[in-house]
């Protein structure tokens, strides 16, 4: 079940390959409520190019605009200036084409749907037939190791299990791009590390491009090819830390290189404050 | 705590027994309390020699129920029909108005304060005026009263359920590029169902109260309310209490039917509560 490359995923266009960057953010700024009371400049002049198959983490102090940046890429909000290109299309067109899967800090599961039906929702909206939906949902449940909970309702699951369902749902239609906003925020340390390993495995296996918002430095380093460090509000890119740890496993967390990268990110965060 | 012992055939039997035991445990306390209150009432009236016009004992009321059975049944059917017709009309109007108001944010913001204010005034006081608007043989004034009274809880809860979907679900549907119609069908309506039933549970009890009390103010005199008034004014207190008891039973019946319907249409909601 290891990835096609087995090694680091970065570089040379990644496993999917071809056709320019997965995400291109150029000179993007976002001002909420411009010219009104409550005007907030959330993001200022961000340039970011994300290769296909790359795993990028966004890290920065609370309120610095990480979620806003992610939501700009997802076209859930429009930039005040600058452009966002996703897989060669405008962010809006990419959203209309359902070119990405999204997982939020809250799992956002529908309580009237079973676990399976929750995972099937994006497939229903894309017009998949029932047989295909069911077999894919079963496949995804196996991936997040929740086969035994297929017919349970969300409230019968722990917070971590709900989060895994949300990730399975985001991955279900094989999106070339995965956008995640602190999906492991509510989990305990052990579950969190387990989920990180799972996510790493899934992204390697499928060659998915990922943008991942987190507050945890070790999490960002463990998962990413590059860690993007943002300044306090308005969010600007302070540094981009390249992480070359090769294939990740539990031992990775013990290596000197891992600790070195953690220190590097921490110092970048300190310097930015 | 959980009776989850055993495996195989034993656990299937165990879980059936467990669910029966759970049901008995949830139904038993209210029954015990109810019977206890009746016994206490009976003893209190007998020991303290309370005058029957102040408070007849349950045994006397029961005697009246038995001897007026056909009259009570007929009146209950009339009042029950009035309540049901009014309730269904209020349901249709309330859900319809809630759906319309949810389409336009400003309309919802405009109507909710008005609805809350109207809900706070004693609408039942309008019955004499309705009675003058229609002929004395018309059942419409009572039903209209019921409709107006049940409209508000149904309208407000429907509107709330349709509009107060959490932001994460809304953004998720937006990320799927789902059309407004799809969002309505797959998110807003199922999200609103538990809210609707919260409104319906209030409305179903209110409908019977309104149908009974509306007759206190004149109009067609063939339901439970008019029998309570006429028995009381003839000093037939036991009989008055018998019709009061029938009104209570009718109200409970409406309420329990609503709860049953909730279990059928909102299976996920009671399960969450029972945890
Ligand atoms: N819809 C909005 N309207 C107005 N202001 C907003 C909106 N969304 C975010 N903001 C403001 O933009 C700034 C950045 O918010 P954002 O949610 O992107 O921060 P964040 O980096 O994700 O913070 P956290 O780590 O705490 O989640 C904040 O000051 C916030 O108040
Ligand atoms: Mg955030």
């Amino acid at each position: 079940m290891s990835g096609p490359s087995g090694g680091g995923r970065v570089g040379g266009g990644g496993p999917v390959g071809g056709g320019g960057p997965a995400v291109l953010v150029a000179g993007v700024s976002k001002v909420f409520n411009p010219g009104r009371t409550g005007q907030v400049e959330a993001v200022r002049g961000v340039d970011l190019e994300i290769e296909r198959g790359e795993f990028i983490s966004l890290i920065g102090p609370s309120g610095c605009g990480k979620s806003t940046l992610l939501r700009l890429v997802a076209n859930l909000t429009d930039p005040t200036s600058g452009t966002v290109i996703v897989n060669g299309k405008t962010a809006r067109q990419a959203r209309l084409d359902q070119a990405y899967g999204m997982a939020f800090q809250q799992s956002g599961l529908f309580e009237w749907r079973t676990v399976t039906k929750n995972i099937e929702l994006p497939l229903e909206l894309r017009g998949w037939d029932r047989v295909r939906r069911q077999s894919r949902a079963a496949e995804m449940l196996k991936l997040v190791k929740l086969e035994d909970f297929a017919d349970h309702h969300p409230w019968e699951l722990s917070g971590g299990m709900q989060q895994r369902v949300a990730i399975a749902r985001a991955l279900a239609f094989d999106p070339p791009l995965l956008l995640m906003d602190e999906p492991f925020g509510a989990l305990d340390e052990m579950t969190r590390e387990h989920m990180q390993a799972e996510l790493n495995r899934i992204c390697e296996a499928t060659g998915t491009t990922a943008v991942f918002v987190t507050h945890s430095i070790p999490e960002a380093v463990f998962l990413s090819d590059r860690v993007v460090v943002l300044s306090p509000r308005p969010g600007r890119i302070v540094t981009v830390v390249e992480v070359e740890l090769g294939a990740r496993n539990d031992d990775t967390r013990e290596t000197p290189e891992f600790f070195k990268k953690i220190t590097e990110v921490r110092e970048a965060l300190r310097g930015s404050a | 705590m959980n009776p989850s012992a055993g495996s195989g055939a034993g656990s299937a039997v165990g879980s059936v027994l467990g669910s029966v035991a759970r049901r008995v445990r949830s139904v038993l306390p209210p029954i015990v309390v109810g019977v206890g209150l009746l016994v206490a009432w009976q003893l209190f009236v007998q020991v303290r020699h309370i005058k029957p016009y102040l408070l007849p004992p349950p045994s006397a009321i029961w005697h009246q129920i038995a001897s007026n059975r056909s009259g009570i049944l007929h009146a209950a059917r009339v009042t029950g029909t009035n309540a049901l017709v009014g309730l269904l009309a209020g349901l249709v109007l309330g859900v319809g108005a809630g759906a319309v108001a949810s389409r336009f944010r400003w309309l919802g913001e405009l109507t909710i304060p008005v609805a809350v204010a109207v809900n706070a005034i004693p609408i039942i006081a309008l019955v004499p005026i309705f009675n003058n608007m229609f002929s004395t043989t018309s059942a419409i004034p009572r039903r209209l009263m019921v409709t107006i009274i049940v409209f508000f809880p149904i309208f407000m809860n429907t509107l709330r359920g349709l509009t107060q979907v959490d932001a994460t679900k809304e953004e998720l549907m937006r990320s799927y590029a789902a059309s407004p119609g799809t969002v309505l069908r797959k998110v807003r309506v199922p999200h609103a169902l538990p809210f609707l039933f919260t409104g319906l549970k209030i409305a179903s009890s209110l409908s019977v109260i309104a149908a009974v009390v509306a007759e206190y103010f004149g109009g067609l005199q063939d339901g439970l309310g008019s029998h309570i008034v006429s028995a009381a004014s003839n000093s037939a207190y036991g009989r008055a209490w018998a019709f009061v008891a029938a009104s209570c039973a009718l109200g409970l019946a409406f309420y329990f039917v609503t709860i049953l319907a909730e279990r059928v249409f909102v299976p996920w909601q009671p399960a969450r509560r029972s945890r």
Side-chain angles (χ1 to χ4, degrees), chain A residues 71 75 95 98 124 155, chain B residues 168 171 174 176 186 268:
Chain A
R71 293 173 71 248
N75 187 238
R95 176 174 65 81
Q98 303 178 40
E124 273 170 46
W155 70 82
Chain B
T168 308
E171 292 211 319
R174 212 169 117 74
Y176 294 146
K186 297 213 185 254
W268 63 91

Side-chain angles (χ1 to χ4, degrees), chain A residues 66-68 105 181-182 213 215:
Chain A
K66 303 180 295 294
S67 299
T68 304
Q105 184 161 8
D181 193 351
E182 299 185 45
V213 172
H215 276 150

Side-chain angles (χ1 to χ4, degrees), chain B residues 124-142:
Chain B
I124 196 96
L126 287 173
V127 173
I129 296 167
F130 287 172
N131 282 334
N132 286 337
M133 287 157 71
F134 298 89
S135 85
T136 47
T137 55
S138 167
I140 292 177
R142 295 175 296 190

